Amino acid sequence: MPHDKIESGQSTGRIDLPGWRSRAAKFETEIAKAVVGQERVIRLLTIALFARGHVLLEGDVGVGKTTLLRAAARAVGGAYERIEGTIDLMPGDLIYHTYLAEDGRPRVDEGPVLRAGEDLAIFFFNEINRARPQVHSLLLRLMAERSVTAFNREFRFPHLVVFADRNRVEREETFELPAAARDRFLMEIAITTPADLATRRELAFSTRFHDGDRLIGSIEEGILPYDQLNDVGRAIQEEIKTSDAFERYVLNLWQAVRYPAEAGIQIPGVDTARLVAAGASPRGLSYLVRAARVAAWLDGRTMAVPEDVRSVFFETMAHRIFFEPVYELRRERVARELIDALFETVPVP
Amino acid sequence: MLRAIFALLSILGLAQGAAAGVRSISVEDPRPFGYFLGDTLVRTIEIETGADDEIVPASLPRTGPSNYWLELRSLDLTSSLHGDARRHRLTLTYQTFYAPIDPKKVTIPATEVTVRSPEGSETATLPPFTFLTSPIREIFPEKSGETAETFLRNDSPPPLRKSGNLRSAALIAAGLSGLLLVLLARDLAWWPFDRRAARPFSRAVRDVTRALASGSNGDGYRSALLALHRAFDTAAGHRLLAADLDGFLAAHPEHSETRAEVERFFAASRSVFFGDAQREGEIGLPPSDLRQLAAVLARQERAA
């Protein structure tokens, strides 16, 4: 597990989990002030923060992805860096900053990733699919090991969480994320415009949303101190119990999502025997259980139940399931139907 | 001289062409012999008149008995214009009831019809018609050994229409309609395709009772919970989680009055299966209550 490699930033001792739960609730309400009508996305983001996983946000242009991430970064505190994905961005641009100094000599300083040192809490990669595969592979290491090598030494980022986003509108001049990179994200969250009319009206007419900086500035800083989240995350995983029945249920889900036809899953217009080509990795399952435990904890329970798995399953698993090419084109709909059918089919408990 | 005669003829011809009133009467009569009692005969009489003339309808012979042996069955009058003349075509159908002892000539008497022209009325005489009618039997048939039974022949049987094709078509149509009706009934889930939905809770009552009776040290209780879970799954049509309860009760309002009990069931099941707290579950929903819940749900299911 990645977080086992991290040296704790804080003496563990006894962690006040109920107190942290109320902080988490406060975190959610604060962010909901800046990003309205996205309660589920905010909940998933909170789960990801406590599960110490990286998040890929996906959505149309202008639905509030960046605002959400900036708000989360402010509420978590710590250093926050962002970089825009472009086609000519090279891995060196992430770690080095090269320029001509006042004395006219070229200088190399730390780039966005290194600038804040160990305090880097949130690294936000905007439009990740515009960057080249070389950049993706650097990011891969950053996400998986939370470290990079630069200036001939290793830099470690124990508190780092990577947030990335990509918009679904353009396909030109983009590089699809490799499966390995996608698998390292804990969640892939789709953000859509709120359907609720009152929320839409508020978004369109309230002057509050005109100035993004002021909006973010109104959020209380450091609600979830970034340097304690690793310990809290570990404490949550230890606190929440998973019973035999729960474990069996998750394993059944795993088996069924990999071999849907054998589990008796039927989707109209889809041959489920030839649907899933690969995917649902063990790492994905481990992430799923981690996220489910956090969901249970946020709900104030000490045991994980099937509802917790269901509440995070799509976001943690859908991007890890790879379909046969014929179904890959209508991936979104088929994935949704597969996962709906999965939960309608696999028996509980 | 010749020229004078020609001129005279021309004048006469012109005068004739322009004349009103009855110009000619031509009669088409049927054969004048070979009639028996009850035979009909049709006379067609064509009266040519001036273009503006008409036959007075009241002067036409009346249908019905003309005399004691003759009846006028029908009378039909049409008229059409031919040049400066109008032809009135009169079709008369008579039936004779004359029963002669030996071949005898009888006469349909002459009748007169009135033709009305702009200049006044004129009478056209329809000529009489004489025909020979014969007996159809001997005067004394008994002499040759015949009786009423033998010389009166049976009525001819009514003709039977051939209905083979029609009957086949009707049978095919009926078969096809029946087939379509069956398909329609199947589509709309009419009887007998409205097979009653399975009654999962009724089955669950038996399973729960059996499980509670058989299992020891908590296994029975777990099996009983599972049996009721499967019943909920079947009733909902998908796997029912505790969080889906609101939707289930909205779709199955017959169970909504036992909401509290059902919630207790899900809470107990959660403790037993996911909290590893068998005892808490059994305290929350004792086995007897579980059995009773299944029974209540089954009763509601039957009533719905």
Side-chain angles (χ1 to χ4, degrees):
Chain A
M1 292 253 200
H3 66 222
D4 292 338
K5 298 174 193 161
I6 300 160
E7 68 262 39
S8 164
Q10 183 92 359
S11 71
T12 28
R14 192 89 187 108
I15 295 201
D16 173 25
L17 280 181
W20 273 93
R21 191 183 299 123
S22 51
R23 282 193 203 185
K26 182 153 195 260
F27 172 80
E28 290 185 337
T29 36
E30 281 292 315
I31 294 197
K33 282 186 200 163
V35 187
V36 295
Q38 301 285 11
E39 284 70 21
R40 182 173 152 71
V41 173
I42 294 171
R43 168 53 64 102
L44 288 167
L45 202 64
T46 314
I47 291 173
L49 274 175
F50 282 100
R52 308 308 292 143
H54 312 294
V55 174
L56 178 63
L57 293 180
E58 203 180 42
D60 298 340
V61 183
V63 289
K65 296 188 294 287
T66 313
T67 312
L68 174 67
L69 292 185
R70 286 181 63 196
R74 188 178 166 86
V76 169
Y80 160 77
E81 291 288 347
R82 66 181 283 176
I83 194 158
E84 313 299 321
T86 54
I87 191 157
D88 57 350
L89 183 78
M90 293 307 278
D93 300 335
L94 264 73
I95 35 187
Y96 301 117
H97 174 52
T98 55
Y99 64 104
L100 285 175
E102 282 173 13
D103 55 7
R105 299 169 64 180
R107 297 278 284 276
V108 180
D109 277 356
E110 290 95 344
V113 174
L114 303 184
R115 202 175 292 143
E118 288 203 350
D119 287 339
L120 183 62
I122 287 179
F123 186 75
F124 175 27
F125 204 124
N126 206 356
E127 302 234 38
I128 189 171
N129 56 337
R130 293 202 173 280
R132 293 166 163 276
Q134 296 95 311
V135 179
H136 291 161
S137 71
L138 174 79
L139 204 65
L140 212 66
R141 171 159 181 208
L142 193 63
M143 288 198 298
E145 300 177 14
R146 289 190 162 91
S147 68
V148 289
T149 305
F151 297 112
N152 280 333
R153 70 181 186 89
E154 199 177 55
F155 287 78
R156 302 184 70 80
F157 311 96
H159 311 294
L160 174 68
V161 170
V162 174
F163 288 153
D165 86 352
R166 62 170 175 185
N167 77 55
R168 291 184 296 184
V169 181
E170 290 121 337
R171 296 265 183 225
E172 292 85 15
E173 291 197 354
T174 62
F175 297 91
E176 193 46 60
L177 283 179
R182 293 182 81 178
D183 200 52
R184 279 176 169 77
F185 282 104
L186 169 74
M187 289 186 187
E188 219 177 273
I189 305 174
I191 302 192
T192 51
T193 311
D196 167 43
L197 194 65
T199 311
R200 285 186 167 209
R201 169 183 255 153
E202 193 187 349
L203 281 172
F205 293 101
S206 171
T207 52
R208 206 154 63 82
F209 300 107
H210 289 186
D211 186 348
D213 288 338
R214 268 188 61 195
L215 188 65
I216 302 296
S218 69
I219 290 172
E220 197 181 321
E221 250 182 309
I223 304 170
L224 304 175
Y226 71 99
D227 52 353
Q228 296 171 35
L229 283 175
N230 281 331
D231 293 329
V232 177
R234 198 174 309 135
I236 292 169
Q237 297 299 320
E238 282 163 15
E239 166 90 356
I240 305 298
K241 300 281 176 289
T242 54
S243 68
D244 287 349
F246 178 81
E247 286 165 12
R248 206 167 47 242
Y249 177 63
V250 172
L251 293 177
N252 288 344
L253 285 178
W254 190 10
Q255 183 70 15
V257 81
R258 183 67 187 79
Y259 304 103
E262 289 173 20
I265 292 176
Q266 288 180 342
I267 305 170
V270 174
D271 178 5
T272 47
R274 298 192 297 165
L275 172 62
V276 179
S281 61
R283 174 172 37 214
L285 251 285
S286 142
Y287 276 159
L288 170 70
V289 174
R290 263 160 75 175
R293 280 204 178 105
V294 177
W297 173 71
L298 286 174
D299 260 5
R301 268 181 275 110
T302 56
M303 57 183 171
V305 297
E307 283 87 336
D308 298 324
V309 180
R310 192 171 62 175
S311 69
V312 296
F313 195 93
F314 187 84
E315 280 76 11
T316 51
M317 292 304 285
H319 62 284
R320 295 176 214 279
I321 306 167
F322 301 100
F323 295 142
E324 290 289 348
V326 66
Y327 299 115
E328 198 64 44
L329 283 176
R330 32 187 189 129
R331 162 170 204 93
E332 255 172 76
R333 197 172 60 79
V334 173
R336 177 62 72 185
E337 286 175 347
L338 171 67
I339 289 173
D340 286 350
L342 178 73
F343 282 95
E344 291 187 354
T345 311
V346 177
V348 193
Chain B
M1 181 64 197
L2 198 64
R3 194 178 287 171
I5 293 169
F6 184 73
L8 188 67
L9 280 174
S10 312
I11 291 164
L12 280 172
L14 273 176
Q16 172 111 32
V22 179
R23 291 182 198 164
S24 71
I25 295 176
S26 68
V27 181
E28 288 173 38
D29 276 332
R31 65 173 198 276
F33 55 86
Y35 291 92
F36 300 104
L37 176 70
D39 281 355
T40 56
L41 49 122
V42 180
R43 299 185 75 194
T44 306
I45 297 150
E46 204 168 85
I47 305 167
E48 192 173 308
T49 64
D52 298 329
D53 301 349
E54 60 176 5
I55 291 179
V56 178
S59 67
L60 289 171
R62 299 252 173 92
T63 54
S66 302
N67 53 36
Y68 74 97
W69 61 270
L70 185 69
E71 183 172 328
L72 179 60
R73 298 294 303 270
S74 69
L75 180 146
D76 185 43
L77 176 67
T78 58
S79 67
S80 56
L81 209 54
H82 292 270
D84 64 340
R86 181 176 287 279
R87 285 186 198 149
H88 306 274
R89 193 175 171 81
L90 200 55
T91 309
L92 301 156
T93 307
Y94 291 97
Q95 189 172 17
T96 168
F97 294 104
Y98 198 91
I101 306 172
D102 50 5
K104 183 178 169 67
K105 270 195 172 161
V106 289
T107 300
I108 297 175
T111 17
E112 289 184 339
V113 294
T114 311
V115 175
R116 186 162 57 210
S117 62
E119 289 84 37
S121 297
E122 203 179 330
T123 303
T125 305
L126 309 183
F129 176 59
T130 302
F131 60 91
L132 192 70
T133 178
S134 310
I136 55 174
R137 63 171 175 85
E138 292 174 283
I139 300 170
F140 301 108
E142 293 82 4
K143 281 185 179 168
S144 56
E146 280 196 297
T147 64
E149 278 73 40
T150 55
F151 67 75
L152 279 185
R153 299 182 62 190
N154 289 330
D155 290 342
S156 60
L160 292 174
R161 297 182 62 183
K162 284 196 176 168
S163 63
N165 289 340
L166 284 172
R167 195 177 50 197
S168 311
L171 284 176
I172 290 169
L176 211 58
S177 309
L179 187 69
L180 289 174
L181 183 69
V182 169
L183 290 177
L184 186 69
R186 191 181 142 76
D187 188 43
L188 299 179
W190 290 346
W191 183 89
F193 299 100
D194 62 341
R195 268 174 303 160
R196 287 143 123 196
R199 290 181 163 172
F201 289 116
S202 305
R203 200 172 56 237
V205 174
R206 292 195 296 277
D207 293 350
V208 165
T209 311
R210 198 179 311 131
L212 287 175
S214 68
S216 57
N217 62 29
D219 277 356
Y221 186 68
R222 288 171 83 98
S223 312
L225 286 176
L226 280 178
L228 199 52
H229 266 299
R230 294 295 85 84
F232 272 112
D233 290 349
T234 312
H238 58 84
R239 304 296 171 183
L240 192 74
L241 273 60
D244 308 331
L245 197 54
D246 287 340
F248 174 75
L249 291 179
H252 296 82
E254 67 269 21
H255 299 308
S256 50
E257 60 189 59
T258 39
R259 171 185 278 272
E261 293 294 305
V262 174
E263 279 171 355
R264 259 175 73 204
F265 161 74
F266 274 102
S269 156
R270 189 174 263 189
S271 302
V272 170
F273 288 108
F274 302 116
D276 280 335
Q278 177 100 23
R279 280 199 54 75
E280 274 179 36
E282 288 197 43
I283 291 165
L285 185 73
S288 57
D289 286 13
L290 178 60
R291 199 181 300 122
Q292 197 185 341
L293 172 63
V296 170
L297 288 169
R299 196 165 61 239
Q300 288 167 342
E301 176 185 69
R302 275 196 301 278

